[in-house]
């Protein structure tokens, strides 16, 4: 064969290589449906996955963890599965495998009625959307206009399926629709450094923890400031760097972080109905409390970030159970942040410095003890 013709063919082949890779990816990768699956660690050691451990009656079971793309597995191959696998292998060989999308520093989250899990990630500066039904992972990094998220911390579900995002660095709350498109913002120019978020669907109120202002600002659905709850102090109804919020059973739960306690208000927010927690060296004391959440039985979950524990209290504020300790193992945490609960009483913990969200299934019972 003429050398010039050979060179020409090689050159054309090299130019066509990217198109070949794209075609292979389209044929073998993009068309492959996936299913959501929580990563289960050491599923055979059942006793290590129960709290309290046997022979006591377990109240919680380890249910997996969220990491990122690895939570979405390809469905079982059909008869053409061998060819698809070969095409994917060849595409990866020619193009190189891209690093999987993973959580970096998860802060908090929420689960909507369709089962989509939203996670605010301050390290990535984005919202991770784990669509458990469609089998897809989405990353929303656009706040509004030309602005990207800088330090998203608090999340809440608003009216009409909206997602509310408190960005501490931007200094306001972003309203997103179900596709991640900005629909407006709340508190711009009024908030110093918003962190925790909660929404009262009946009263149509948005509660925002403005941490350095030492108060909770309350907005209506149009984004107008309605009132402010609290001021700096240690007394009833006062705060010292409040962070995370939850609204449940007609009550507002506030993590009063530097006062080492949880305060519970009526929906009017006039006076604290309940306060619990104190500084100390014993398990159950609150040194640096962060996330707070409530399940359907009224159990209150508090993240004790300093000692890396998830603490479970009854509705009266009495300690029921502690899960955690510092580490990477099942049931251990490394500087955890937020906690939230879905409709099925699955408890999610943002294990921030382990770059994951840990899932526990509440098995019921024990909520009225103590």
């Amino acid at each position: 064969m003429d050398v010039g013709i050979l060179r020409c063919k090689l050159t054309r082949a090299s130019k066509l290589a990217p198109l070949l890779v794209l075609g292979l990816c389209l044929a073998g990768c993009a068309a492959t449906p996936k299913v959501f699956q929580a990563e289960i660690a050491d599923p055979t050691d059942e006793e290590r996955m129960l709290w309290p451990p046997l022979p006591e009656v377990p109240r919680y079971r380890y249910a997996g963890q969220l990491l990122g793309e690895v939570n979405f597995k390809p469905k079982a191959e059909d008869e053409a599965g061998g060819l698809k696998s070969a095409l994917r292998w060849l595409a990866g060989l020619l193009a190189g495998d891209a690093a999987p999308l993973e959580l970096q520093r998860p802060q908090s989250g929420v689960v909507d009625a369709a089962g989509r899990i939203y996670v605010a990630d301050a390290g990535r500066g984005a919202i991770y959307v784990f669509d458990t039904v469609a089998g897809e992972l989405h990353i929303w990094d656009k706040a509004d206009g030309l602005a990207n998220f800088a330090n998203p911390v608090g999340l809440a579900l608003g009216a009409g399926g909206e997602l509310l995002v408190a960005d501490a660095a931007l200094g306001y709350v972003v309203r997103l629709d179900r596709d991640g498109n900005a629909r407006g913002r709340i508190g711009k120019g009024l908030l110093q450094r918003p962190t925790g978020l909660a929404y009262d669907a009946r009263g149509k109120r948005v509660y925002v923890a403005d941490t350095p202002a030492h108060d909770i600002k309350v907005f209506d659905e149009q984004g107008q400031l309605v009132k402010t709850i609290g001021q700096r102090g240690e007394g009833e109804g006062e705060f010292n760097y409040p962070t995370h919020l939850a609204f449940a059973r007609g009550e507002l739960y506030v993590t009063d972080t530097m006062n080492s306690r949880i305060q519970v208000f009526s929906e009017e927010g006039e006076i604290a109905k309940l306060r619990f927690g104190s500084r100390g060296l014993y398990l159950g004391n609150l040194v640096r409390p962060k996330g707070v959440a409530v399940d359907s039985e009224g159990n209150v979950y508090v993240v004790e970030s300093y000692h890396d524990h998830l603490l479970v209290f009854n509705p009266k504020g009495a300690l029921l159970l502690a899960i955690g300790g510092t580490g990477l193992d099942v049931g251990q945490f490394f500087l955890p942040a937020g906690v939230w609960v879905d409709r099925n009483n699955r408890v999610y913990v943002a294990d921030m410095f382990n770059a994951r969200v840990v899932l526990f299934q509440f098995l019921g019972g024990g909520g009225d003890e103590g």
Side-chain angles (χ1 to χ4, degrees):
M1 180 182 294
D2 183 81
V3 175
I5 296 176
L6 178 60
R7 287 176 178 169
C8 181
K9 289 186 175 182
L10 289 174
T11 301
R12 291 176 61 190
S14 64
K15 290 181 178 179
L16 290 174
L19 296 177
L20 174 62
V21 172
L22 177 61
L24 289 173
C25 285
L26 291 174
C29 301
T32 303
K34 294 185 177 183
V35 294
F36 171 80
Q37 177 182 331
E39 291 293 303
I40 303 297
D42 197 9
T44 59
D45 192 355
E46 184 175 354
E47 186 172 351
R48 291 175 56 243
M49 297 193 172
L50 299 173
W51 293 269
L54 299 171
E56 295 187 56
V57 178
R59 303 297 186 188
Y60 297 88
R61 175 179 56 82
Y62 175 75
Q65 58 188 0
L66 305 180
L67 298 172
E69 279 188 323
V70 296
N71 289 106
F72 297 90
K73 308 294 185 182
K75 287 186 177 180
E77 300 282 359
D78 53 22
E79 293 181 356
L83 176 59
K84 290 182 179 179
S85 296
L87 290 172
R88 286 195 297 272
W89 173 83
L90 181 57
L93 181 65
L94 294 175
D97 292 327
L101 297 174
E102 297 176 341
L103 292 170
Q104 297 180 20
R105 276 197 297 130
Q107 296 282 321
S108 66
V110 69
V111 184
D112 69 12
R116 297 208 298 181
I117 307 167
Y118 303 89
V119 181
D121 193 297
R124 176 66 171 77
I127 309 303
Y128 284 66
V129 184
F130 293 80
D131 193 328
T132 62
V133 176
E136 298 172 345
L137 175 66
H138 303 280
I139 295 183
W140 297 344
D141 57 10
K142 184 64 67 178
D144 65 333
L146 298 176
N148 290 332
F149 287 112
N151 187 11
V153 178
L155 296 182
L157 295 173
E162 279 188 344
L163 179 69
L164 305 175
V165 184
D167 193 297
L170 294 179
Y172 54 83
V173 175
V174 180
R175 301 169 55 187
L176 301 176
D177 65 19
R178 282 186 51 83
D179 296 318
N181 301 310
R183 297 187 58 183
R185 51 194 177 186
I186 297 172
K188 184 174 177 60
L190 299 174
L191 297 166
Q192 296 182 33
R193 190 173 178 83
T195 53
L197 267 182
Y199 178 71
D200 173 14
R202 187 180 70 174
K204 302 186 185 305
R205 294 290 185 261
V206 178
Y207 299 88
V208 186
D210 197 356
T211 299
H214 310 285
D215 61 32
I216 310 300
K217 292 182 171 65
V218 187
F219 298 86
D220 62 20
E221 288 189 318
Q222 288 70 46
Q224 299 299 312
L225 181 65
V226 176
K227 62 182 173 181
T228 300
I229 302 173
Q231 60 184 1
R232 188 167 195 177
E234 298 181 356
E236 184 177 277
E238 297 178 330
F239 305 111
N240 192 10
Y241 293 99
T243 54
H244 292 254
L245 304 178
F247 193 89
R249 301 159 73 94
E251 297 176 326
L252 176 68
Y253 293 74
V254 181
T255 301
D256 190 7
T257 297
M258 298 305 289
N259 279 331
S260 301
R261 65 188 181 185
I262 302 296
Q263 295 199 71
V264 186
F265 296 82
S266 67
E267 57 187 328
E268 291 80 17
E270 298 300 331
I271 192 170
K273 298 178 64 177
L274 174 68
R275 291 180 294 166
F276 64 91
S278 61
R279 299 180 182 92
L281 302 175
Y282 298 100
L283 190 62
N285 290 140
L286 301 180
V287 181
R288 289 292 183 273
K290 289 190 176 178
V292 61
V294 184
D295 67 21
S296 65
E297 294 191 11
N299 297 305
V300 184
Y301 302 89
V302 180
V303 169
E304 171 39 58
S305 64
Y306 189 85
H307 290 301
D308 299 311
H309 272 84
L310 173 66
L311 304 177
V312 187
F313 298 87
N314 74 3
K316 298 179 181 179
L319 180 67
L320 298 176
L321 183 67
I323 300 173
T326 306
L328 299 169
D329 208 349
V330 171
Q332 295 181 324
F333 310 109
F334 188 13
L335 203 62
V339 59
W340 62 100
V341 181
D342 69 14
R343 294 186 174 189
N344 297 311
N345 277 340
R346 280 187 295 263
V347 183
Y348 301 73
V349 180
D351 191 6
M352 185 168 61
F353 274 28
N354 279 330
R356 64 187 179 185
V357 172
V358 184
L359 283 64
F360 301 92
Q361 178 65 60
F362 176 50
L363 303 177
D368 295 326
E369 296 177 10

